[in-house]
Amino acid sequence: MKALVHHGPGHKAWEDVPAPTIQDPTDVIATMNLGIALRNVNRHADAKPYLVKAHELDRDYGPACHNLAEHFYEIEEDAARARPLYQRATELLPTYPTSWFGLGSTSSTLKDEDGAVVAYERLLELMPENTFGRKNICMGYLH
């Protein structure tokens, strides 16, 4: 695979390098981070197994729940699979606003406007300046 390799200040080049591997297959953070890195370069099919594996390694690790939920919702457009993972992420990471936004979005997609409003209200408690949360909570109140 090609990667941008740095050889000191001002010296970098695209080079063929071995594909990344996980040194310790039980390392949830390394597994999740590899999935995120692959997702960030639009290699979604390659990212999914790592995100799933990270969640399987530790179902009580909030970032793993959040990132798998994000994959299901944003990449696979599967709100029904994403919502319980966002719910778990908000339980494990109650002050992480992005999980509350995801929970609100999936709830709204699934026509649970009351659930969406609750999630967006919590998001706005954490981030009062969040304009998307404000807009979405207004839409929830209108329904």
Side-chain angles (χ1 to χ4, degrees), residues 87-98:
Q87 179 66 46
R88 184 69 179 135
T90 62
E91 293 166 3
L92 296 166
L93 304 166
T95 61
Y96 188 59
T98 308

Side-chain angles (χ1 to χ4, degrees), residues 23-71:
Q23 298 290 324
D24 177 1
T26 64
D27 186 336
V28 65
I29 296 171
T31 302
M32 181 190 67
N33 285 343
L34 180 52
I36 293 168
L38 290 166
R39 182 185 66 207
N40 288 344
V41 294
N42 294 320
R43 291 181 53 190
H44 303 296
D46 295 329
K48 183 179 178 180
Y50 292 103
L51 297 172
V52 169
K53 178 68 174 176
H55 183 250
E56 290 171 351
L57 287 170
D58 188 351
R59 294 180 186 278
D60 292 327
Y61 183 57
C65 296
H66 174 86
N67 282 289
L68 184 55
E70 196 170 70
H71 176 85

Side-chain angles (χ1 to χ4, degrees), residues 6 14 33 78 81:
H6 292 267
W14 284 101
N33 285 343
D78 190 342
R81 287 179 75 189

Side-chain angles (χ1 to χ4, degrees), residues 94-109:
T95 61
Y96 188 59
T98 308
S99 290
W100 287 102
F101 185 83
L103 181 59
S105 297
T106 54
S107 295
S108 181
T109 298

Side-chain angles (χ1 to χ4, degrees), residues 2-6 12-15 17:
K2 291 277 189 190
L4 186 61
V5 179
H6 292 267
K12 58 187 172 189
W14 284 101
E15 298 179 8
V17 297

